[in-house]
Amino acid sequence: MRVIRWLNQHFEEALLTIFLIIMVLVMGYQVAMRYIFNNSLPWSEELTRYLFVWSAFLSIAYCIKHHSSIKIDQILHLLPPVAQKVLLLLSKIISLAFFSYVLRYSFNVVQSTIKSGQLTPALQIPMYFVHYAAVVGFGLAVFRILESFVRVAAKNVEEEI
């Protein structure tokens, strides 16, 4: 149970931190190889680019979990608590509908990429590994929205603002 609780609290942060460390180390190695040894690595920029793509999709769920999305709080604070709760739930329903919609189509993209058999140019890994970032990111976003939806419906609105 402790592992599940830890994963629920820190999954996105752990992966984002690991990806950032790998990106920094790989690009540092690339810079050293290029300027010190006058030799460029063909795979380093591609790996960094794909880790960045994964980081971008994972950060969607991270932002939802930490309520750091772009929003206007002033209007919300002027409303009575019941109206605040209704507005928050409405925004979460719209977000849930959007992320569920794009999740469905991200599966289609991955399936077509699997069928094509396309490989990345330098690393020669299947391209669908890169496209799975959308499935994982949007899936985690749906999960985090459902999680926050339950929190708003059951608790005080102030925790979600």
Side-chain angles (χ1 to χ4, degrees):
M1 193 66 178
R2 288 178 59 185
V3 172
I4 293 172
R5 185 176 295 123
W6 186 90
L7 282 173
N8 186 40
Q9 294 173 348
H10 303 289
F11 180 71
E12 293 92 349
E13 294 96 333
L15 284 178
L16 289 169
T17 302
I18 290 167
F19 290 168
L20 182 62
I21 290 169
I22 293 171
M23 285 189 285
V24 167
L25 291 175
V26 167
M27 289 306 343
Y29 183 59
Q30 167 70 348
V31 168
M33 288 298 292
R34 183 177 292 163
Y35 292 108
I36 295 172
F37 300 108
N38 205 18
N39 189 5
S40 183
L41 303 170
W43 55 268
S44 63
E45 291 176 23
E46 185 174 292
L47 176 63
T48 304
R49 184 181 322 119
Y50 296 150
L51 287 173
F52 185 77
V53 167
W54 269 88
S55 297
F57 282 106
L58 286 174
S59 66
I60 296 168
Y62 177 82
C63 289
I64 291 169
K65 183 172 78 173
H66 291 283
H67 320 295
S68 60
S69 60
I70 298 173
K71 58 187 173 195
I72 301 173
D73 291 343
Q74 279 312 101
I75 297 170
L76 201 58
H77 289 295
L78 296 174
L79 299 173
V82 173
Q84 288 179 7
K85 191 178 231 183
V86 168
L87 194 59
L88 276 173
L89 290 173
L90 182 64
S91 73
K92 291 187 185 309
I93 289 169
I94 292 169
S95 297
L96 181 63
F98 172 75
F99 285 118
S100 298
Y101 179 79
V102 292
L103 176 62
R104 178 176 173 250
Y105 286 101
S106 64
F107 276 114
N108 295 347
V109 170
V110 170
Q111 286 176 344
S112 67
T113 308
I114 289 171
K115 288 178 187 173
S116 75
Q118 183 181 3
L119 300 174
T120 61
L123 294 171
Q124 293 296 301
I125 59 172
M127 195 66 181
Y128 61 82
F129 283 132
V130 178
H131 292 166
Y132 266 124
V135 173
V136 172
F138 294 141
L140 280 171
V142 166
F143 174 74
R144 293 300 182 189
I145 290 170
L146 289 172
E147 188 178 53
S148 68
F149 186 80
V150 170
R151 246 190 336 269
V152 169
K155 294 184 181 176
N156 191 355
V157 175
E158 289 299 319
E159 295 177 17
E160 288 293 317
I161 297 177

PDB file of all heavy atoms in Angstrom, residues 74-105:
ATOM      1  N   GLN A  74      -9.537  35.110  -9.727  1.00  0.00           N
ATOM      2  CA  GLN A  74     -10.245  36.258  -9.146  1.00  0.00           C
ATOM      3  C   GLN A  74     -11.753  36.107  -9.226  1.00  0.00           C
ATOM      4  O   GLN A  74     -12.459  36.361  -8.260  1.00  0.00           O
ATOM      5  CB  GLN A  74      -9.838  37.557  -9.847  1.00  0.00           C
ATOM      6  CG  GLN A  74      -8.545  38.174  -9.385  1.00  0.00           C
ATOM      7  CD  GLN A  74      -8.425  38.267  -7.878  1.00  0.00           C
ATOM      8  OE1 GLN A  74      -7.767  37.453  -7.288  1.00  0.00           O
ATOM      9  NE2 GLN A  74      -9.052  39.241  -7.252  1.00  0.00           N
ATOM     10  N   ILE A  75     -12.250  35.711 -10.364  1.00  0.00           N
ATOM     11  CA  ILE A  75     -13.691  35.557 -10.544  1.00  0.00           C
ATOM     12  C   ILE A  75     -14.210  34.462  -9.619  1.00  0.00           C
ATOM     13  O   ILE A  75     -15.266  34.608  -8.994  1.00  0.00           O
ATOM     14  CB  ILE A  75     -14.035  35.250 -12.015  1.00  0.00           C
ATOM     15  CG1 ILE A  75     -13.620  36.427 -12.896  1.00  0.00           C
ATOM     16  CG2 ILE A  75     -15.502  34.923 -12.184  1.00  0.00           C
ATOM     17  CD1 ILE A  75     -13.684  36.148 -14.366  1.00  0.00           C
ATOM     18  N   LEU A  76     -13.464  33.385  -9.510  1.00  0.00           N
ATOM     19  CA  LEU A  76     -13.879  32.273  -8.668  1.00  0.00           C
ATOM     20  C   LEU A  76     -14.010  32.687  -7.204  1.00  0.00           C
ATOM     21  O   LEU A  76     -14.938  32.273  -6.515  1.00  0.00           O
ATOM     22  CB  LEU A  76     -12.874  31.122  -8.814  1.00  0.00           C
ATOM     23  CG  LEU A  76     -13.347  29.737  -8.437  1.00  0.00           C
ATOM     24  CD1 LEU A  76     -14.549  29.327  -9.250  1.00  0.00           C
ATOM     25  CD2 LEU A  76     -12.223  28.746  -8.628  1.00  0.00           C
ATOM     26  N   HIS A  77     -13.095  33.516  -6.738  1.00  0.00           N
ATOM     27  CA  HIS A  77     -13.121  33.954  -5.337  1.00  0.00           C
ATOM     28  C   HIS A  77     -14.281  34.908  -5.036  1.00  0.00           C
ATOM     29  O   HIS A  77     -14.666  35.051  -3.879  1.00  0.00           O
ATOM     30  CB  HIS A  77     -11.801  34.606  -4.947  1.00  0.00           C
ATOM     31  CG  HIS A  77     -10.669  33.637  -4.841  1.00  0.00           C
ATOM     32  ND1 HIS A  77     -10.628  32.639  -3.901  1.00  0.00           N
ATOM     33  CD2 HIS A  77      -9.541  33.502  -5.575  1.00  0.00           C
ATOM     34  CE1 HIS A  77      -9.528  31.937  -4.046  1.00  0.00           C
ATOM     35  NE2 HIS A  77      -8.850  32.439  -5.058  1.00  0.00           N
ATOM     36  N   LEU A  78     -14.824  35.548  -6.038  1.00  0.00           N
ATOM     37  CA  LEU A  78     -15.944  36.462  -5.829  1.00  0.00           C
ATOM     38  C   LEU A  78     -17.282  35.733  -5.700  1.00  0.00           C
ATOM     39  O   LEU A  78     -18.254  36.309  -5.218  1.00  0.00           O
ATOM     40  CB  LEU A  78     -16.024  37.471  -6.981  1.00  0.00           C
ATOM     41  CG  LEU A  78     -14.839  38.429  -7.121  1.00  0.00           C
ATOM     42  CD1 LEU A  78     -14.991  39.259  -8.384  1.00  0.00           C
ATOM     43  CD2 LEU A  78     -14.712  39.318  -5.894  1.00  0.00           C
ATOM     44  N   LEU A  79     -17.327  34.489  -6.131  1.00  0.00           N
ATOM     45  CA  LEU A  79     -18.570  33.718  -6.116  1.00  0.00           C
ATOM     46  C   LEU A  79     -18.803  33.064  -4.760  1.00  0.00           C
ATOM     47  O   LEU A  79     -17.855  32.797  -4.014  1.00  0.00           O
ATOM     48  CB  LEU A  79     -18.519  32.638  -7.202  1.00  0.00           C
ATOM     49  CG  LEU A  79     -18.382  33.135  -8.644  1.00  0.00           C
ATOM     50  CD1 LEU A  79     -18.166  31.959  -9.571  1.00  0.00           C
ATOM     51  CD2 LEU A  79     -19.597  33.932  -9.049  1.00  0.00           C
ATOM     52  N   PRO A  80     -20.044  32.758  -4.441  1.00  0.00           N
ATOM     53  CA  PRO A  80     -20.327  32.012  -3.209  1.00  0.00           C
ATOM     54  C   PRO A  80     -19.775  30.581  -3.318  1.00  0.00           C
ATOM     55  O   PRO A  80     -19.555  30.076  -4.429  1.00  0.00           O
ATOM     56  CB  PRO A  80     -21.851  32.018  -3.108  1.00  0.00           C
ATOM     57  CG  PRO A  80     -22.354  32.439  -4.431  1.00  0.00           C
ATOM     58  CD  PRO A  80     -21.266  33.160  -5.135  1.00  0.00           C
ATOM     59  N   PRO A  81     -19.554  29.907  -2.189  1.00  0.00           N
ATOM     60  CA  PRO A  81     -18.950  28.565  -2.212  1.00  0.00           C
ATOM     61  C   PRO A  81     -19.665  27.550  -3.101  1.00  0.00           C
ATOM     62  O   PRO A  81     -19.013  26.762  -3.775  1.00  0.00           O
ATOM     63  CB  PRO A  81     -19.003  28.136  -0.741  1.00  0.00           C
ATOM     64  CG  PRO A  81     -19.006  29.409   0.024  1.00  0.00           C
ATOM     65  CD  PRO A  81     -19.746  30.395  -0.825  1.00  0.00           C
ATOM     66  N   VAL A  82     -20.978  27.582  -3.132  1.00  0.00           N
ATOM     67  CA  VAL A  82     -21.715  26.624  -3.983  1.00  0.00           C
ATOM     68  C   VAL A  82     -21.426  26.889  -5.457  1.00  0.00           C
ATOM     69  O   VAL A  82     -21.183  25.958  -6.236  1.00  0.00           O
ATOM     70  CB  VAL A  82     -23.231  26.701  -3.689  1.00  0.00           C
ATOM     71  CG1 VAL A  82     -24.008  25.844  -4.661  1.00  0.00           C
ATOM     72  CG2 VAL A  82     -23.526  26.299  -2.253  1.00  0.00           C
ATOM     73  N   ALA A  83     -21.408  28.145  -5.845  1.00  0.00           N
ATOM     74  CA  ALA A  83     -21.116  28.495  -7.241  1.00  0.00           C
ATOM     75  C   ALA A  83     -19.666  28.158  -7.583  1.00  0.00           C
ATOM     76  O   ALA A  83     -19.373  27.739  -8.709  1.00  0.00           O
ATOM     77  CB  ALA A  83     -21.398  29.973  -7.480  1.00  0.00           C
ATOM     78  N   GLN A  84     -18.763  28.343  -6.640  1.00  0.00           N
ATOM     79  CA  GLN A  84     -17.359  27.964  -6.861  1.00  0.00           C
ATOM     80  C   GLN A  84     -17.252  26.474  -7.155  1.00  0.00           C
ATOM     81  O   GLN A  84     -16.563  26.057  -8.089  1.00  0.00           O
ATOM     82  CB  GLN A  84     -16.512  28.299  -5.628  1.00  0.00           C
ATOM     83  CG  GLN A  84     -16.262  29.753  -5.412  1.00  0.00           C
ATOM     84  CD  GLN A  84     -15.435  30.007  -4.170  1.00  0.00           C
ATOM     85  OE1 GLN A  84     -14.940  29.091  -3.527  1.00  0.00           O
ATOM     86  NE2 GLN A  84     -15.261  31.284  -3.827  1.00  0.00           N
ATOM     87  N   LYS A  85     -17.946  25.682  -6.338  1.00  0.00           N
ATOM     88  CA  LYS A  85     -17.902  24.228  -6.521  1.00  0.00           C
ATOM     89  C   LYS A  85     -18.480  23.824  -7.874  1.00  0.00           C
ATOM     90  O   LYS A  85     -17.908  23.001  -8.584  1.00  0.00           O
ATOM     91  CB  LYS A  85     -18.667  23.550  -5.383  1.00  0.00           C
ATOM     92  CG  LYS A  85     -18.474  22.068  -5.305  1.00  0.00           C
ATOM     93  CD  LYS A  85     -19.228  21.506  -4.117  1.00  0.00           C
ATOM     94  CE  LYS A  85     -18.312  20.659  -3.293  1.00  0.00           C
ATOM     95  NZ  LYS A  85     -18.976  20.018  -2.165  1.00  0.00           N
ATOM     96  N   VAL A  86     -19.589  24.439  -8.252  1.00  0.00           N
ATOM     97  CA  VAL A  86     -20.223  24.124  -9.532  1.00  0.00           C
ATOM     98  C   VAL A  86     -19.295  24.501 -10.690  1.00  0.00           C
ATOM     99  O   VAL A  86     -19.120  23.734 -11.646  1.00  0.00           O
ATOM    100  CB  VAL A  86     -21.592  24.837  -9.659  1.00  0.00           C
ATOM    101  CG1 VAL A  86     -22.125  24.764 -11.081  1.00  0.00           C
ATOM    102  CG2 VAL A  86     -22.586  24.250  -8.683  1.00  0.00           C
ATOM    103  N   LEU A  87     -18.684  25.676 -10.614  1.00  0.00           N
ATOM    104  CA  LEU A  87     -17.779  26.124 -11.677  1.00  0.00           C
ATOM    105  C   LEU A  87     -16.544  25.221 -11.778  1.00  0.00           C
ATOM    106  O   LEU A  87     -16.111  24.877 -12.885  1.00  0.00           O
ATOM    107  CB  LEU A  87     -17.368  27.579 -11.434  1.00  0.00           C
ATOM    108  CG  LEU A  87     -16.711  28.296 -12.591  1.00  0.00           C
ATOM    109  CD1 LEU A  87     -17.625  28.314 -13.812  1.00  0.00           C
ATOM    110  CD2 LEU A  87     -16.343  29.715 -12.198  1.00  0.00           C
ATOM    111  N   LEU A  88     -15.987  24.835 -10.635  1.00  0.00           N
ATOM    112  CA  LEU A  88     -14.840  23.922 -10.657  1.00  0.00           C
ATOM    113  C   LEU A  88     -15.220  22.568 -11.245  1.00  0.00           C
ATOM    114  O   LEU A  88     -14.468  22.006 -12.054  1.00  0.00           O
ATOM    115  CB  LEU A  88     -14.284  23.736  -9.246  1.00  0.00           C
ATOM    116  CG  LEU A  88     -13.302  24.791  -8.773  1.00  0.00           C
ATOM    117  CD1 LEU A  88     -12.963  24.586  -7.311  1.00  0.00           C
ATOM    118  CD2 LEU A  88     -12.039  24.762  -9.609  1.00  0.00           C
ATOM    119  N   LEU A  89     -16.366  22.049 -10.839  1.00  0.00           N
ATOM    120  CA  LEU A  89     -16.794  20.763 -11.383  1.00  0.00           C
ATOM    121  C   LEU A  89     -17.058  20.859 -12.884  1.00  0.00           C
ATOM    122  O   LEU A  89     -16.705  19.951 -13.635  1.00  0.00           O
ATOM    123  CB  LEU A  89     -18.040  20.263 -10.643  1.00  0.00           C
ATOM    124  CG  LEU A  89     -17.815  19.814  -9.200  1.00  0.00           C
ATOM    125  CD1 LEU A  89     -19.144  19.495  -8.529  1.00  0.00           C
ATOM    126  CD2 LEU A  89     -16.887  18.624  -9.136  1.00  0.00           C
ATOM    127  N   LEU A  90     -17.636  21.952 -13.332  1.00  0.00           N
ATOM    128  CA  LEU A  90     -17.876  22.150 -14.755  1.00  0.00           C
ATOM    129  C   LEU A  90     -16.566  22.205 -15.539  1.00  0.00           C
ATOM    130  O   LEU A  90     -16.441  21.577 -16.596  1.00  0.00           O
ATOM    131  CB  LEU A  90     -18.692  23.424 -14.987  1.00  0.00           C
ATOM    132  CG  LEU A  90     -19.054  23.740 -16.436  1.00  0.00           C
ATOM    133  CD1 LEU A  90     -19.968  22.657 -16.993  1.00  0.00           C
ATOM    134  CD2 LEU A  90     -19.713  25.093 -16.523  1.00  0.00           C
ATOM    135  N   SER A  91     -15.591  22.921 -15.014  1.00  0.00           N
ATOM    136  CA  SER A  91     -14.294  22.998 -15.707  1.00  0.00           C
ATOM    137  C   SER A  91     -13.613  21.638 -15.750  1.00  0.00           C
ATOM    138  O   SER A  91     -12.964  21.287 -16.738  1.00  0.00           O
ATOM    139  CB  SER A  91     -13.391  24.038 -15.053  1.00  0.00           C
ATOM    140  OG  SER A  91     -12.915  23.577 -13.820  1.00  0.00           O
ATOM    141  N   LYS A  92     -13.783  20.851 -14.700  1.00  0.00           N
ATOM    142  CA  LYS A  92     -13.190  19.514 -14.685  1.00  0.00           C
ATOM    143  C   LYS A  92     -13.906  18.579 -15.658  1.00  0.00           C
ATOM    144  O   LYS A  92     -13.268  17.739 -16.296  1.00  0.00           O
ATOM    145  CB  LYS A  92     -13.192  18.956 -13.269  1.00  0.00           C
ATOM    146  CG  LYS A  92     -12.213  19.713 -12.386  1.00  0.00           C
ATOM    147  CD  LYS A  92     -12.035  19.122 -11.054  1.00  0.00           C
ATOM    148  CE  LYS A  92     -11.150  19.989 -10.188  1.00  0.00           C
ATOM    149  NZ  LYS A  92      -9.893  20.391 -10.773  1.00  0.00           N
ATOM    150  N   ILE A  93     -15.204  18.735 -15.793  1.00  0.00           N
ATOM    151  CA  ILE A  93     -15.954  17.920 -16.758  1.00  0.00           C
ATOM    152  C   ILE A  93     -15.514  18.244 -18.184  1.00  0.00           C
ATOM    153  O   ILE A  93     -15.313  17.343 -19.001  1.00  0.00           O
ATOM    154  CB  ILE A  93     -17.478  18.122 -16.575  1.00  0.00           C
ATOM    155  CG1 ILE A  93     -17.937  17.474 -15.269  1.00  0.00           C
ATOM    156  CG2 ILE A  93     -18.256  17.573 -17.760  1.00  0.00           C
ATOM    157  CD1 ILE A  93     -19.353  17.825 -14.861  1.00  0.00           C
ATOM    158  N   ILE A  94     -15.343  19.526 -18.473  1.00  0.00           N
ATOM    159  CA  ILE A  94     -14.877  19.925 -19.812  1.00  0.00           C
ATOM    160  C   ILE A  94     -13.474  19.394 -20.065  1.00  0.00           C
ATOM    161  O   ILE A  94     -13.177  18.862 -21.143  1.00  0.00           O
ATOM    162  CB  ILE A  94     -14.947  21.462 -19.972  1.00  0.00           C
ATOM    163  CG1 ILE A  94     -16.410  21.916 -19.978  1.00  0.00           C
ATOM    164  CG2 ILE A  94     -14.224  21.923 -21.228  1.00  0.00           C
ATOM    165  CD1 ILE A  94     -16.601  23.415 -19.853  1.00  0.00           C
ATOM    166  N   SER A  95     -12.587  19.514 -19.072  1.00  0.00           N
ATOM    167  CA  SER A  95     -11.225  18.990 -19.214  1.00  0.00           C
ATOM    168  C   SER A  95     -11.231  17.481 -19.402  1.00  0.00           C
ATOM    169  O   SER A  95     -10.495  16.943 -20.233  1.00  0.00           O
ATOM    170  CB  SER A  95     -10.384  19.342 -17.986  1.00  0.00           C
ATOM    171  OG  SER A  95     -10.238  20.719 -17.861  1.00  0.00           O
ATOM    172  N   LEU A  96     -12.056  16.801 -18.632  1.00  0.00           N
ATOM    173  CA  LEU A  96     -12.155  15.348 -18.743  1.00  0.00           C
ATOM    174  C   LEU A  96     -12.641  14.945 -20.137  1.00  0.00           C
ATOM    175  O   LEU A  96     -12.086  14.017 -20.740  1.00  0.00           O
ATOM    176  CB  LEU A  96     -13.103  14.802 -17.676  1.00  0.00           C
ATOM    177  CG  LEU A  96     -13.297  13.298 -17.651  1.00  0.00           C
ATOM    178  CD1 LEU A  96     -11.990  12.586 -17.339  1.00  0.00           C
ATOM    179  CD2 LEU A  96     -14.365  12.935 -16.634  1.00  0.00           C
ATOM    180  N   ALA A  97     -13.624  15.650 -20.659  1.00  0.00           N
ATOM    181  CA  ALA A  97     -14.127  15.352 -22.005  1.00  0.00           C
ATOM    182  C   ALA A  97     -13.031  15.565 -23.050  1.00  0.00           C
ATOM    183  O   ALA A  97     -12.840  14.728 -23.941  1.00  0.00           O
ATOM    184  CB  ALA A  97     -15.340  16.219 -22.316  1.00  0.00           C
ATOM    185  N   PHE A  98     -12.300  16.668 -22.924  1.00  0.00           N
ATOM    186  CA  PHE A  98     -11.234  16.958 -23.889  1.00  0.00           C
ATOM    187  C   PHE A  98     -10.142  15.901 -23.848  1.00  0.00           C
ATOM    188  O   PHE A  98      -9.749  15.350 -24.886  1.00  0.00           O
ATOM    189  CB  PHE A  98     -10.642  18.344 -23.633  1.00  0.00           C
ATOM    190  CG  PHE A  98      -9.417  18.618 -24.455  1.00  0.00           C
ATOM    191  CD1 PHE A  98      -9.520  18.904 -25.800  1.00  0.00           C
ATOM    192  CD2 PHE A  98      -8.150  18.557 -23.888  1.00  0.00           C
ATOM    193  CE1 PHE A  98      -8.397  19.139 -26.576  1.00  0.00           C
ATOM    194  CE2 PHE A  98      -7.022  18.790 -24.650  1.00  0.00           C
ATOM    195  CZ  PHE A  98      -7.139  19.081 -25.996  1.00  0.00           C
ATOM    196  N   PHE A  99      -9.627  15.604 -22.646  1.00  0.00           N
ATOM    197  CA  PHE A  99      -8.524  14.647 -22.548  1.00  0.00           C
ATOM    198  C   PHE A  99      -8.967  13.228 -22.897  1.00  0.00           C
ATOM    199  O   PHE A  99      -8.177  12.448 -23.441  1.00  0.00           O
ATOM    200  CB  PHE A  99      -7.871  14.702 -21.166  1.00  0.00           C
ATOM    201  CG  PHE A  99      -7.001  15.915 -20.990  1.00  0.00           C
ATOM    202  CD1 PHE A  99      -7.300  16.852 -20.028  1.00  0.00           C
ATOM    203  CD2 PHE A  99      -5.907  16.129 -21.801  1.00  0.00           C
ATOM    204  CE1 PHE A  99      -6.511  17.984 -19.869  1.00  0.00           C
ATOM    205  CE2 PHE A  99      -5.109  17.252 -21.658  1.00  0.00           C
ATOM    206  CZ  PHE A  99      -5.415  18.180 -20.695  1.00  0.00           C
ATOM    207  N   SER A 100     -10.206  12.876 -22.626  1.00  0.00           N
ATOM    208  CA  SER A 100     -10.721  11.565 -23.043  1.00  0.00           C
ATOM    209  C   SER A 100     -10.793  11.479 -24.564  1.00  0.00           C
ATOM    210  O   SER A 100     -10.459  10.448 -25.150  1.00  0.00           O
ATOM    211  CB  SER A 100     -12.108  11.322 -22.448  1.00  0.00           C
ATOM    212  OG  SER A 100     -12.054  11.304 -21.054  1.00  0.00           O
ATOM    213  N   TYR A 101     -11.209  12.574 -25.193  1.00  0.00           N
ATOM    214  CA  TYR A 101     -11.290  12.627 -26.656  1.00  0.00           C
ATOM    215  C   TYR A 101      -9.907  12.463 -27.293  1.00  0.00           C
ATOM    216  O   TYR A 101      -9.732  11.634 -28.195  1.00  0.00           O
ATOM    217  CB  TYR A 101     -11.926  13.951 -27.071  1.00  0.00           C
ATOM    218  CG  TYR A 101     -12.054  14.147 -28.553  1.00  0.00           C
ATOM    219  CD1 TYR A 101     -13.074  13.532 -29.265  1.00  0.00           C
ATOM    220  CD2 TYR A 101     -11.159  14.960 -29.241  1.00  0.00           C
ATOM    221  CE1 TYR A 101     -13.205  13.711 -30.624  1.00  0.00           C
ATOM    222  CE2 TYR A 101     -11.281  15.150 -30.604  1.00  0.00           C
ATOM    223  CZ  TYR A 101     -12.293  14.524 -31.296  1.00  0.00           C
ATOM    224  OH  TYR A 101     -12.412  14.695 -32.646  1.00  0.00           O
ATOM    225  N   VAL A 102      -8.929  13.225 -26.811  1.00  0.00           N
ATOM    226  CA  VAL A 102      -7.597  13.129 -27.420  1.00  0.00           C
ATOM    227  C   VAL A 102      -6.909  11.818 -27.053  1.00  0.00           C
ATOM    228  O   VAL A 102      -6.093  11.312 -27.827  1.00  0.00           O
ATOM    229  CB  VAL A 102      -6.697  14.346 -27.081  1.00  0.00           C
ATOM    230  CG1 VAL A 102      -7.221  15.598 -27.730  1.00  0.00           C
ATOM    231  CG2 VAL A 102      -6.529  14.538 -25.597  1.00  0.00           C
ATOM    232  N   LEU A 103      -7.255  11.239 -25.893  1.00  0.00           N
ATOM    233  CA  LEU A 103      -6.708   9.928 -25.531  1.00  0.00           C
ATOM    234  C   LEU A 103      -7.158   8.874 -26.532  1.00  0.00           C
ATOM    235  O   LEU A 103      -6.357   8.051 -26.984  1.00  0.00           O
ATOM    236  CB  LEU A 103      -7.142   9.544 -24.110  1.00  0.00           C
ATOM    237  CG  LEU A 103      -6.730   8.156 -23.629  1.00  0.00           C
ATOM    238  CD1 LEU A 103      -5.203   8.031 -23.582  1.00  0.00           C
ATOM    239  CD2 LEU A 103      -7.324   7.872 -22.257  1.00  0.00           C
ATOM    240  N   ARG A 104      -8.422   8.937 -26.893  1.00  0.00           N
ATOM    241  CA  ARG A 104      -8.955   7.974 -27.866  1.00  0.00           C
ATOM    242  C   ARG A 104      -8.195   8.039 -29.189  1.00  0.00           C
ATOM    243  O   ARG A 104      -7.831   7.012 -29.767  1.00  0.00           O
ATOM    244  CB  ARG A 104     -10.439   8.255 -28.097  1.00  0.00           C
ATOM    245  CG  ARG A 104     -11.072   7.358 -29.113  1.00  0.00           C
ATOM    246  CD  ARG A 104     -12.569   7.633 -29.219  1.00  0.00           C
ATOM    247  NE  ARG A 104     -13.127   6.885 -30.311  1.00  0.00           N
ATOM    248  CZ  ARG A 104     -13.554   7.437 -31.429  1.00  0.00           C
ATOM    249  NH1 ARG A 104     -13.502   8.732 -31.608  1.00  0.00           N
ATOM    250  NH2 ARG A 104     -14.048   6.700 -32.392  1.00  0.00           N
ATOM    251  N   TYR A 105      -7.937   9.240 -29.662  1.00  0.00           N
ATOM    252  CA  TYR A 105      -7.241   9.384 -30.941  1.00  0.00           C
ATOM    253  C   TYR A 105      -5.739   9.154 -30.832  1.00  0.00           C
ATOM    254  O   TYR A 105      -5.097   8.799 -31.821  1.00  0.00           O
ATOM    255  CB  TYR A 105      -7.572  10.739 -31.577  1.00  0.00           C
ATOM    256  CG  TYR A 105      -8.970  10.730 -32.117  1.00  0.00           C
ATOM    257  CD1 TYR A 105     -10.011  11.316 -31.414  1.00  0.00           C
ATOM    258  CD2 TYR A 105      -9.280  10.067 -33.297  1.00  0.00           C
ATOM    259  CE1 TYR A 105     -11.309  11.272 -31.885  1.00  0.00           C
ATOM    260  CE2 TYR A 105     -10.574  10.006 -33.780  1.00  0.00           C
ATOM    261  CZ  TYR A 105     -11.586  10.614 -33.066  1.00  0.00           C
ATOM    262  OH  TYR A 105     -12.866  10.543 -33.531  1.00  0.00           O
TER     263      TYR A 105
END
